Amino acid sequence: QVQLVESGGGSVQAGGSLKLSCEASRLKYSYAGHCMLWFRQAPRKEREQVARITGINKATYADSVEGRFTISRDNNKSTVYLEMNNLEPEDTAMYYCAADPLCAPSLRSWGQGTQVTVSS
């Protein structure tokens, strides 16, 4: 079973930065063949997709984070990153890494999540 382990969450003040990491293992397909995604879920809100990156580094972002967050990946390390700058209290949420083999959402695997808290 695919294992995704997130790290890098924490507490920061508004305007600060954090960089999340998610290392994948036990993959059925090559890591480069996966689309990697970051989602977040705040209390009493639905989970939302924050960013997505393909195996050839095409990235897309939610409007709410465009220009502040950057998703990247290191295929040699089977790791995806989410660099978050100019954080706002509204970014407070549990952040989850997800892996879509062959970019198929129906085959998605999830990490356990890492908490990000931004104080004003």
Side-chain angles (χ1 to χ4, degrees):
Q1 187 171 352
V2 174
Q3 186 171 16
L4 301 171
V5 180
E6 299 102 329
S7 60
S11 297
V12 295
Q13 290 191 328
S17 299
L18 283 172
K19 186 173 183 177
L20 307 182
S21 300
C22 171
E23 183 175 3
S25 59
R26 303 178 185 173
L27 298 173
K28 182 177 181 180
Y29 303 98
S30 69
Y31 184 73
H34 289 71
C35 282
M36 299 301 297
L37 305 93
W38 287 98
F39 288 78
R40 67 184 180 186
Q41 187 167 19
R44 299 174 297 281
K45 292 189 176 181
E46 292 187 357
R47 187 173 296 190
E48 66 168 335
Q49 182 175 318
V50 173
R52 176 180 182 267
I53 188 167
T54 69
I56 55 172
N57 292 319
K58 181 177 180 180
T60 55
Y61 299 93
D63 289 344
S64 57
V65 306
E66 181 82 52
R68 299 188 298 122
F69 290 12
T70 302
I71 189 171
S72 61
R73 63 191 294 161
D74 185 336
N75 289 339
N76 291 326
K77 296 182 179 180
S78 299
T79 300
V80 63
Y81 305 97
L82 186 68
E83 185 168 1
M84 306 182 294
N85 296 315
N86 195 20
L87 283 161
E88 304 169 350
E90 293 74 20
D91 296 316
T92 295
M94 184 71 79
Y95 282 72
Y96 297 91
C97 170
D100 290 355
L102 308 178
C103 294
S106 60
L107 301 176
R108 181 170 293 163
S109 296
W110 293 93
Q112 83 288 351
T114 186
Q115 178 68 36
V116 172
T117 303
V118 184
S119 58
S120 57

